[in-house]
Amino acid sequence: MTPATTTLWRHAHLVTLDGDAGWGEVADGALLTEGGRIAWVGPEAALAQGLAGRPAPEAEHDLQGALMTPGLVDAHTHLVYGGDRAAEFELRLQGATYEQIARAGGGIRSTVAATRAASDEALFAAAARRARVLMAEGVTTLEVKSGYGLDATHEARCLAVARRLGRELPLTVRTTSLGAHALPPEYVGRPDDFIDAVCSWLPAQQAAGLVDAVDVFCDSIGFTPAQTRRVFDAAQALGLPVKLHAEQLSDQGGAALAAQYRALSCDHLEHLSDEGVAAMAASGTVAMLLPGAYYFLRETRLPPVAALRAAGVPIAIATDHNPGSSPALSLLLMLSMACTLFRLTPEEAFRGVTVQAARALGLPDRGRLAAGQRADLAVWDAQHPRELAYVFGHNPCRAVIHAGVARATGLTQGLRA
Ligand code: NIG
Ligand code: FE
C-alpha cells in the first residue's frame, strides 16, 4: 500500500492547521511526500532549501493555486448494515418518535434483523459503496462501528467487513466494537445477561484483530451507566480504549463516567451537563458532535458548544452515518450543519473533521500538514478553506491522496506528471 515514490506538490494554497488555532495557511506552498508520509512542507520560496540534499522527486504536480488540506477523518460511522429505514422515516413524519419506534421493537432492532439476514458479500458491497461516497469528498480515514449484529457471530462478521474495507479501498479504517448498541430480541427483559455476553465477545474480537476501540449506547433506550461501566471494565482489562454514545436523548451522566475511563470521545452530547463538560475537559476527551442526527431526528436541544469551548474541550464533527438517525454520506454537509445549526466557526468545524477527529481516534499522525504526518491529503476547488463549510449540496473536492498516492476525481486526470 505504501508507495516507494516521492511526489512534489507545487503552487498549492496550503491549509496546514499547524498550531492550536488558525488555518495555518501558506498562500503559495509546496509539499513533498515520501513513502506515504509528508517529508517537507513550506512556502514555494523555501523550496530549494527544503529539497536540498534529497534525491529529485519522482513526480511533480503543479496545483496552480488550488487549496490543499489534510485528508478528512470521519470518526463516527455505523457504515456496515443491511436494509434501510426509509419506512421508519415515513412513520416519524406521521408523528411517531424515534424512541417510540425503538421501544416498539423497530429502530435499531429492525436493522439488526436485516443485517443478520445479509451475506458478507452484500454487507461489504453496500458498505464499500457508502465509503466511496465519503471518500469522494476527501475522506481518507474512517471509523466504523459494529452494533447491528448483536450476537457473537454477526458482530464479528460486521467488524470483519469493516476491516476488509480498509484492506480493499484506499482508506484507513478504524473499527469500534459496539455490541452494547441495543437489546436484541433474544435478550428482552435480560439486559444484564446481554451485557455479560457483550463483554464475553471482546477477547475473541481482539484476538482476531477486529477491534480498535469499544463503544456503548448509554441512554434511556440504550444501556444504563452501570451496564456501561461493566463493558468499559472489560475493554480496559484488554487494554482497549473506550468511547461513548452519551447524552443524546437524555442526561445519564455518561460523559462523566466515560471521562473516568479516559474515553477517546463522547459522542452526540445534546443533553451534556456542566459536570459532564468539566469531566471531559479534565480527561482530554473529545466532544464528537453529530449534526446529522440532530437534524434528522429534529432535535431541538443544542449541544453546549459555548461551555465546551470555554472549558477547552476539543470538538470534532462526524457524519454518524447509520440508517436510523443519520443516513448522511457527506462530511462536508456536516461542516455546514455544524456551523449553521451548532454555531461553530468554519475553522472549528474544519479542525473538527481533521486534527480533532484524528485525536478522537487516537491517531496523532494525521489531520495536519507537517513533516512526519501521513500523506493523506485533499485538493479542493476553493479560494479559502472557509468555503468548505459554506457550500452544501455539491462537492468541490478535486483530488484525494491517500498514503501519498493520488486517487480519483477531476484533477488527477489534469495533473502533469
Ligand atoms: O448514533 N444512538 C445510537 N446509535 C445511532 C443510531 C442507530 C440507529 O438508529 O440505527 C446513533 O445515532
Ligand atoms: Fe452513532
Side-chain angles (χ1 to χ4, degrees), residues 79-141:
L79 211 71
V80 177
Y81 59 86
D84 68 72
R85 304 246 287 279
E88 176 183 314
F89 176 52
E90 287 184 322
L91 281 179
R92 285 200 291 112
L93 288 166
Q94 287 155 20
T97 68
Y98 181 73
E99 281 174 273
Q100 282 165 349
I101 293 166
R103 288 188 195 284
I108 294 174
R109 248 195 257 167
S110 71
T111 301
V112 171
T115 303
R116 288 177 176 179
S119 68
D120 291 4
E121 264 331 294
L123 288 175
F124 177 77
R129 265 197 308 277
R130 296 173 194 130
R132 286 187 194 283
V133 177
L134 292 166
M135 291 159 65
E137 281 191 355
V139 170
T140 48
T141 298

XYZ file of all heavy atoms in Angstrom, residues 79-141:
460
model
N -21.259 2.178 9.392
C -21.349 2.030 7.934
C -21.801 0.646 7.481
O -22.270 0.490 6.353
C -19.973 2.339 7.321
C -19.976 2.942 5.927
C -20.471 4.374 5.951
C -18.574 2.894 5.317
N -21.644 -0.356 8.361
C -21.922 -1.740 7.942
C -23.288 -2.178 8.476
O -23.474 -2.346 9.682
C -20.819 -2.691 8.461
C -21.148 -4.137 8.097
C -19.458 -2.295 7.906
N -24.233 -2.341 7.573
C -25.576 -2.792 7.975
C -26.348 -3.246 6.746
O -26.000 -2.903 5.615
C -26.345 -1.662 8.689
C -26.538 -0.408 7.861
C -27.615 -0.278 6.983
C -25.622 0.636 7.922
C -27.777 0.862 6.209
C -25.777 1.785 7.152
C -26.848 1.885 6.302
O -27.002 3.010 5.521
N -27.420 -3.991 6.988
C -28.306 -4.395 5.904
C -29.581 -3.559 5.922
O -29.967 -3.010 6.957
N -30.222 -3.462 4.787
C -31.531 -2.804 4.697
C -31.451 -1.292 4.823
O -30.377 -0.692 4.710
N -32.609 -0.697 5.052
C -32.681 0.748 5.272
C -33.867 1.009 6.193
O -34.592 0.078 6.555
C -32.824 1.520 3.951
C -34.160 1.265 3.295
O -35.187 1.769 3.799
O -34.205 0.533 2.278
N -34.065 2.261 6.562
C -35.162 2.575 7.481
C -36.025 3.709 6.908
O -36.535 4.553 7.660
C -34.596 2.933 8.859
C -33.689 1.824 9.428
C -34.254 1.165 10.645
N -34.166 2.050 11.790
C -33.070 2.236 12.538
N -31.951 1.572 12.262
N -33.097 3.055 13.558
N -36.196 3.707 5.577
C -37.000 4.764 4.952
C -38.454 4.694 5.414
O -39.113 5.730 5.573
C -36.905 4.661 3.429
N -38.940 3.474 5.670
C -40.337 3.348 6.126
C -40.484 3.956 7.524
O -41.509 4.566 7.843
C -40.759 1.883 6.124
N -39.444 3.777 8.342
C -39.465 4.372 9.685
C -39.450 5.909 9.598
O -40.096 6.596 10.402
C -38.242 3.866 10.449
C -38.067 4.460 11.814
C -36.785 3.953 12.486
O -36.530 2.728 12.453
O -36.039 4.788 13.023
N -38.759 6.413 8.613
C -38.747 7.861 8.365
C -40.175 8.345 8.096
O -40.631 9.351 8.661
C -37.823 8.128 7.175
C -37.746 9.553 6.708
C -37.469 10.589 7.588
C -37.937 9.868 5.361
C -37.384 11.911 7.138
C -37.845 11.169 4.905
C -37.574 12.196 5.796
N -40.901 7.592 7.272
C -42.298 7.958 6.997
C -43.142 7.910 8.265
O -43.971 8.791 8.507
C -42.892 7.034 5.934
C -42.363 7.317 4.548
C -43.021 6.458 3.481
O -43.298 5.264 3.746
O -43.249 6.974 2.373
N -42.904 6.876 9.086
C -43.656 6.769 10.346
C -43.409 7.981 11.231
O -44.329 8.525 11.860
C -43.238 5.513 11.126
C -43.810 4.182 10.699
C -43.249 3.070 11.584
C -45.343 4.212 10.814
N -42.148 8.401 11.271
C -41.825 9.565 12.105
C -42.510 10.815 11.565
O -42.955 11.675 12.314
C -40.314 9.752 12.214
C -39.655 8.732 13.141
C -38.281 9.176 13.640
N -37.263 9.195 12.608
C -36.695 10.288 12.123
N -37.051 11.480 12.573
N -35.788 10.211 11.179
N -42.623 10.885 10.243
C -43.306 12.049 9.655
C -44.793 12.039 9.969
O -45.455 13.077 9.943
C -43.075 12.087 8.139
C -41.645 12.481 7.764
C -41.357 12.188 6.295
C -41.401 13.958 8.055
N -45.304 10.833 10.282
C -46.724 10.755 10.673
C -46.904 10.948 12.181
O -48.012 10.819 12.692
C -47.309 9.408 10.247
C -47.523 9.315 8.730
C -47.522 7.883 8.216
O -47.724 6.948 8.989
N -47.265 7.718 6.926
N -45.817 11.185 12.895
C -45.964 11.545 14.307
C -45.278 10.626 15.291
O -45.112 10.980 16.462
N -44.868 9.408 14.880
C -44.172 8.518 15.822
C -42.793 9.089 16.123
O -42.167 9.707 15.255
C -44.036 7.132 15.200
N -42.318 8.899 17.349
C -40.974 9.393 17.669
C -39.959 8.264 17.522
O -40.301 7.078 17.542
C -40.887 9.936 19.111
O -41.032 8.830 20.013
C -41.953 10.983 19.381
N -38.689 8.669 17.413
C -37.571 7.716 17.311
C -37.609 6.769 18.504
O -37.450 5.555 18.363
C -36.278 8.525 17.285
C -34.999 7.740 17.155
C -34.627 7.145 15.952
C -34.119 7.625 18.236
C -33.436 6.450 15.827
C -32.919 6.934 18.124
C -32.586 6.353 16.916
O -31.395 5.661 16.796
N -37.857 7.314 19.688
C -37.883 6.490 20.902
C -39.063 5.523 20.898
O -38.919 4.357 21.258
C -37.959 7.382 22.147
C -36.623 7.971 22.513
C -36.710 8.971 23.650
O -36.954 10.155 23.341
O -36.538 8.585 24.814
N -40.248 6.012 20.470
C -41.426 5.125 20.422
C -41.169 3.951 19.481
O -41.485 2.797 19.797
C -42.658 5.898 19.942
C -43.289 6.785 21.009
C -44.260 7.806 20.405
O -44.321 8.006 19.186
N -45.009 8.464 21.279
N -40.605 4.247 18.329
C -40.342 3.200 17.340
C -39.356 2.180 17.913
O -39.530 0.967 17.782
C -39.827 3.820 16.018
C -40.959 4.633 15.368
C -39.292 2.758 15.065
C -40.518 5.555 14.255
N -38.332 2.683 18.601
C -37.332 1.785 19.200
C -37.977 0.912 20.278
O -37.760 -0.305 20.318
C -36.186 2.608 19.796
N -38.796 1.527 21.132
C -39.416 0.766 22.230
C -40.404 -0.265 21.698
O -40.639 -1.293 22.332
C -40.127 1.719 23.204
C -39.149 2.530 24.040
C -39.855 3.317 25.131
N -39.004 4.355 25.697
C -38.009 4.133 26.556
N -37.748 2.897 26.958
N -37.276 5.125 27.000
N -40.971 -0.011 20.518
C -41.917 -0.958 19.924
C -41.196 -2.070 19.150
O -41.837 -2.878 18.467
C -42.881 -0.219 19.007
N -39.868 -2.107 19.240
C -39.119 -3.204 18.610
C -38.651 -2.883 17.194
O -38.054 -3.730 16.527
N -38.899 -1.664 16.741
C -38.391 -1.251 15.420
C -37.003 -0.652 15.605
O -36.214 -1.146 16.400
N -36.730 0.414 14.903
C -35.459 1.108 15.099
C -34.267 0.207 14.869
O -34.228 -0.574 13.915
N -33.290 0.310 15.766
C -32.035 -0.432 15.622
C -32.326 -1.922 15.420
O -31.695 -2.588 14.591
C -31.130 -0.211 16.856
C -30.678 1.259 16.928
C -29.918 -1.130 16.819
C -29.903 1.641 18.177
N -33.333 -2.437 16.134
C -33.609 -3.868 16.040
C -34.048 -4.302 14.641
O -33.772 -5.422 14.213
C -34.665 -4.258 17.063
C -34.059 -5.133 18.149
C -35.134 -5.806 18.920
N -35.302 -5.133 20.189
C -36.330 -5.338 20.994
N -37.315 -6.147 20.634
N -36.398 -4.724 22.146
N -34.727 -3.415 13.920
C -35.111 -3.805 12.558
C -33.873 -3.877 11.668
O -33.785 -4.729 10.775
C -36.168 -2.848 11.989
O -35.605 -1.602 11.713
N -32.905 -3.013 11.916
C -31.659 -3.095 11.139
C -30.864 -4.335 11.532
O -30.167 -4.926 10.706
C -30.814 -1.814 11.342
O -31.592 -0.698 10.913
C -29.533 -1.860 10.531
N -30.965 -4.749 12.791
C -30.280 -5.968 13.222
C -30.817 -7.164 12.423
O -30.044 -7.987 11.911
C -30.458 -6.187 14.742
C -29.947 -7.564 15.168
C -29.724 -5.090 15.517
N -32.132 -7.237 12.275
C -32.714 -8.353 11.516
C -32.205 -8.337 10.077
O -31.802 -9.382 9.525
C -34.239 -8.268 11.550
N -32.183 -7.164 9.446
C -31.736 -7.068 8.048
C -30.248 -7.384 7.928
O -29.805 -7.983 6.938
C -32.045 -5.681 7.501
N -29.482 -7.001 8.932
C -28.029 -7.236 8.887
C -27.728 -8.717 9.045
O -26.894 -9.289 8.327
C -27.340 -6.422 9.998
O -27.669 -5.041 9.812
C -25.825 -6.592 9.969
N -28.408 -9.360 9.993
C -28.179 -10.798 10.193
C -28.541 -11.584 8.940
O -27.917 -12.601 8.627
C -28.994 -11.293 11.389
C -28.447 -10.804 12.728
C -29.335 -11.257 13.874
N -28.789 -10.879 15.176
C -29.381 -11.146 16.331
N -30.545 -11.788 16.358
N -28.824 -10.778 17.468
N -29.559 -11.098 8.201
C -30.017 -11.821 7.007
C -29.120 -11.588 5.795
O -29.197 -12.331 4.810
C -31.450 -11.407 6.675
N -28.269 -10.569 5.838
C -27.452 -10.227 4.665
C -26.176 -11.068 4.640
O -25.608 -11.388 5.683
C -27.093 -8.744 4.712
N -25.719 -11.401 3.437
C -24.466 -12.153 3.302
C -23.280 -11.218 3.545
O -23.407 -9.995 3.465
C -24.354 -12.735 1.893
O -24.181 -11.671 0.966
N -22.120 -11.790 3.816
C -20.896 -10.987 3.963
C -20.677 -10.132 2.723
O -20.315 -8.953 2.818
C -19.663 -11.897 4.125
C -19.649 -12.624 5.455
O -20.622 -12.497 6.224
O -18.658 -13.331 5.709
N -20.867 -10.745 1.557
C -20.636 -10.022 0.292
C -21.577 -8.833 0.170
O -21.171 -7.754 -0.242
C -20.856 -10.953 -0.904
C -19.653 -11.601 -1.490
C -18.335 -10.839 -1.365
O -18.216 -9.759 -1.970
O -17.434 -11.308 -0.665
N -22.846 -9.054 0.509
C -23.829 -7.959 0.391
C -23.484 -6.845 1.381
O -23.565 -5.657 1.049
C -25.238 -8.493 0.640
N -23.098 -7.217 2.589
C -22.727 -6.192 3.578
C -21.516 -5.409 3.099
O -21.459 -4.178 3.211
C -22.416 -6.838 4.940
C -23.605 -7.389 5.723
C -23.116 -8.098 6.988
C -24.589 -6.267 6.090
N -20.532 -6.149 2.552
C -19.328 -5.475 2.083
C -19.641 -4.546 0.913
O -19.196 -3.398 0.879
C -18.245 -6.486 1.670
C -17.023 -5.808 1.125
C -16.109 -5.211 1.980
C -16.809 -5.718 -0.249
C -14.995 -4.541 1.487
C -15.704 -5.044 -0.749
C -14.792 -4.466 0.118
N -20.416 -5.028 -0.045
C -20.702 -4.216 -1.244
C -21.425 -2.933 -0.850
O -21.096 -1.843 -1.333
C -21.534 -5.021 -2.240
N -22.404 -3.048 0.056
C -23.158 -1.850 0.454
C -22.254 -0.885 1.231
O -22.282 0.333 1.006
C -24.362 -2.259 1.310
N -21.435 -1.415 2.138
C -20.556 -0.547 2.925
C -19.503 0.102 2.024
O -19.156 1.278 2.209
C -19.896 -1.343 4.046
N -18.992 -0.639 1.046
C -17.977 -0.080 0.154
C -18.568 1.050 -0.698
O -17.923 2.074 -0.921
C -17.400 -1.167 -0.745
N -19.820 0.858 -1.141
C -20.482 1.933 -1.898
C -20.579 3.190 -1.043
O -20.298 4.298 -1.496
C -21.893 1.500 -2.297
C -22.014 0.909 -3.700
C -23.467 0.899 -4.185
N -24.400 0.281 -3.256
C -24.630 -1.033 -3.163
N -23.961 -1.882 -3.938
N -25.510 -1.506 -2.309
N -20.973 3.011 0.203
C -21.099 4.179 1.101
C -19.733 4.822 1.343
O -19.604 6.043 1.315
C -21.697 3.734 2.441
C -23.113 3.214 2.323
C -23.642 2.620 3.638
N -24.850 1.846 3.363
C -25.070 0.597 3.773
N -24.185 -0.040 4.538
N -26.184 -0.018 3.447
N -18.727 3.977 1.570
C -17.388 4.514 1.847
C -16.886 5.331 0.660
O -16.288 6.397 0.835
C -16.421 3.378 2.165
N -17.152 4.860 -0.553
C -16.664 5.582 -1.736
C -17.307 6.960 -1.867
O -16.680 7.910 -2.352
C -16.919 4.764 -3.011
C -15.981 3.595 -3.152
C -16.156 2.910 -4.512
N -15.505 1.621 -4.541
C -14.191 1.441 -4.665
N -13.392 2.489 -4.796
N -13.678 0.232 -4.681
N -18.551 7.075 -1.452
C -19.211 8.389 -1.498
C -18.497 9.338 -0.524
O -18.201 10.496 -0.859
C -20.711 8.272 -1.145
C -21.370 9.645 -1.122
C -21.426 7.364 -2.142
N -18.199 8.850 0.676
C -17.474 9.681 1.650
C -16.081 10.036 1.129
O -15.627 11.183 1.243
C -17.359 8.942 2.989
C -18.685 8.753 3.740
C -18.527 7.719 4.855
C -19.174 10.090 4.319
N -15.405 9.055 0.525
C -14.040 9.277 0.039
C -13.994 10.315 -1.076
O -13.026 11.065 -1.198
C -13.471 7.951 -0.477
C -13.208 6.947 0.631
S -13.121 5.259 -0.008
C -11.673 5.356 -1.032
N -15.041 10.365 -1.883
C -15.068 11.333 -2.986
C -15.091 12.769 -2.466
O -14.793 13.708 -3.201
C -16.273 11.084 -3.891
N -15.422 12.938 -1.211
C -15.381 14.261 -0.589
C -14.138 14.452 0.273
O -14.129 15.301 1.164
C -16.623 14.489 0.285
C -17.849 14.849 -0.494
C -18.981 15.332 0.403
O -18.851 15.300 1.649
O -20.001 15.753 -0.148
N -13.117 13.664 0.047
C -11.848 13.917 0.729
C -11.593 13.088 1.973
O -10.583 13.288 2.653
N -12.478 12.147 2.294
C -12.265 11.327 3.496
C -11.165 10.300 3.222
O -11.224 9.553 2.242
C -13.569 10.618 3.931
C -13.288 9.588 5.031
C -14.578 11.657 4.424
N -10.173 10.276 4.100
C -9.072 9.318 3.960
C -8.968 8.382 5.168
O -8.246 7.389 5.106
C -7.728 10.058 3.757
O -7.616 11.091 4.744
C -7.652 10.688 2.376
N -9.652 8.725 6.261
C -9.709 7.837 7.440
C -11.152 7.777 7.920
O -11.826 8.807 8.017
C -8.811 8.354 8.583
O -7.457 8.379 8.147
C -8.914 7.453 9.822
